Amino acid sequence: QVQMEESGGGLVQAGGSLRLSCAASGRTFSSYIVGWFRQAPGKEREFVATIRWTASSIYYADSVKGRFTISRDNVKNTVYLQMNSLRPEDTAVYYCAADLNPITTRAATYGYWGQGTQVTVSS
């Protein structure tokens, strides 16, 4: 059974940085894609970034391009989301998700989800 667990959320001032971690367990993830999504109150879940475990493909939402960086550590089976220059509009619950499908930005394609971690950016 694949399990995903996020950590690293918190409260930060606008312009600050946070690094989210997503620890994956239960499988060998060499063929998986891992994505980060976020959901703000009253809004739909939206794509943030995704990476193929081999790091051969990476995609970002336009809203975070140049500010966020997704990466993975094969030894630790962990995917990171480094978030810099944070803005109040980045406030949301951030989720990581994984699946065996070809790389995609569609949340519905991901079958394995973590519980989420709250990120709050104050102005």
Side-chain angles (χ1 to χ4, degrees):
Q1 182 70 14
V2 174
Q3 291 186 323
M4 316 294 290
E5 183 174 4
E6 306 93 340
S7 61
L11 174 64
V12 64
Q13 288 188 331
S17 299
L18 282 174
R19 188 177 78 159
L20 304 184
S21 299
C22 173
S25 62
R27 294 284 171 84
T28 299
F29 286 89
S30 58
S31 298
Y32 278 69
I33 57 172
V34 178
W36 284 98
F37 295 81
R38 66 186 182 187
Q39 189 166 18
K43 295 187 177 181
E44 293 187 354
R45 191 167 297 189
E46 66 172 356
F47 165 74
V48 175
T50 187
I51 186 170
R52 175 160 292 286
W53 198 265
T54 57
S56 58
S57 298
I58 292 175
Y59 293 96
Y60 296 98
D62 288 342
S63 59
V64 306
K65 208 171 289 184
R67 300 188 298 123
F68 292 9
T69 303
I70 189 171
S71 63
R72 89 283 181 258
D73 183 324
N74 288 339
V75 174
K76 295 182 178 180
N77 251 17
T78 299
V79 172
Y80 302 100
L81 185 68
Q82 177 66 44
M83 306 186 296
N84 299 328
S85 302
L86 282 161
R87 305 166 180 168
E89 55 263 39
D90 294 318
T91 295
V93 177
Y94 283 70
Y95 300 88
C96 68
D99 215 286
L100 275 169
N101 290 306
I103 197 162
T104 176
T105 63
R106 294 179 63 243
T109 307
Y110 292 76
Y112 306 102
W113 289 82
Q115 294 300 306
T117 185
Q118 176 71 46
V119 171
T120 303
V121 184
S122 63
S123 57

